[in-house]
Amino acid sequence: MKKYILLLIVVISGVAGVWFFSSSDSDEAQVKRVLKTLCRMTTKRAGDNPAAAGLMISKTDKIFAGEFSVKIGNGMFDGIYNPTKMTAELARYRAIFTEVEVDTQDMEITFPAQDKAETVFTGVLDGRTKTGSGVSEAREVICTLIRTQEGWRIKKLEIKEIMQR
C-alpha cells in the first residue's frame, strides 16, 4: 500500500497541469499548470464520480512525455513508463483511498535550456485508505519537464528526500 502512496506522491509532485497552453502564459506558469493538473488527477474526494475520475486520469498524455522515468527508491515502481501505463498506475493508486489530497509546495523552477525545465518541490499527500488508516506524508521531488509541440510534459520524476510529518 505504501508503494502506491509513494508512486502517487511522485506522480503528483512531479507534475500537475497542462490542458491547454496559451501563448500569453509564461513558461513558468505552464510548468506549474502541468504539476497542478497532476495533483488534480490524483486527488480523490468522497462522493467523486468514478466515471469523471476515469476520464480525468485517462489524459496522462497531456502531462507526461511519450516515455518518462520514475525513480522513487522502490524497485517496484522505478522504471520507464508511458502515459498508458501511468493511467493504470493512477487508477490503482486511487483505488487504495477513500479520500486523498495531493498538492505541491515550495516549488522552484529553473530552465537550463529553452526546451527543458527542472523543478524541485515538496509533494504532500494527506488521505485515508479504504482500511481506515490515515496517511500524511511529504516528499522532496525533482521533476524534469521537456517542451514538446503540444506543450510541457514530464520526462522524469525522482524523490530526493523522504520527510515524515
Side-chain angles (χ1 to χ4, degrees), residues 45-100:
R45 292 183 172 68
D48 275 359
N49 180 327
L55 282 173
M56 180 179 286
I57 64 172
S58 71
K59 298 179 189 254
T60 54
D61 63 322
K62 302 290 185 198
I63 60 172
F64 290 104
E67 183 175 276
F68 59 97
S69 67
V70 174
K71 184 178 178 187
I72 61 174
N74 178 325
M76 185 173 179
F77 293 109
D78 290 354
I80 306 297
Y81 288 85
N82 62 44
T84 302
K85 189 173 178 182
M86 184 52 67
T87 298
E89 293 297 329
L90 287 174
R92 203 172 341 215
Y93 151 81
R94 288 176 56 90
I96 295 170
F97 295 95
T98 56
E99 292 181 280
V100 64

Side-chain angles (χ1 to χ4, degrees), residues 11 33 55 91 104-105 135 141 150-151:
V11 171
R33 191 176 306 121
L55 282 173
T104 61
Q105 298 176 352
V135 179
V141 179
E150 296 80 26

Side-chain angles (χ1 to χ4, degrees), residues 65-67 115-117 144-148 151-155:
E67 183 175 276
D115 61 348
K116 182 178 180 181
T144 302
L145 297 92
I146 58 169
R147 185 194 317 260
T148 67
W152 289 98
R153 301 292 189 264
I154 297 169
K155 184 68 176 169

Side-chain angles (χ1 to χ4, degrees), residues 1 5 96-99 127-135:
M1 178 183 318
I5 293 169
I96 295 170
F97 295 95
T98 56
E99 292 181 280
R128 181 149 313 277
T129 66
K130 288 190 175 179
T131 62
S133 302
V135 179

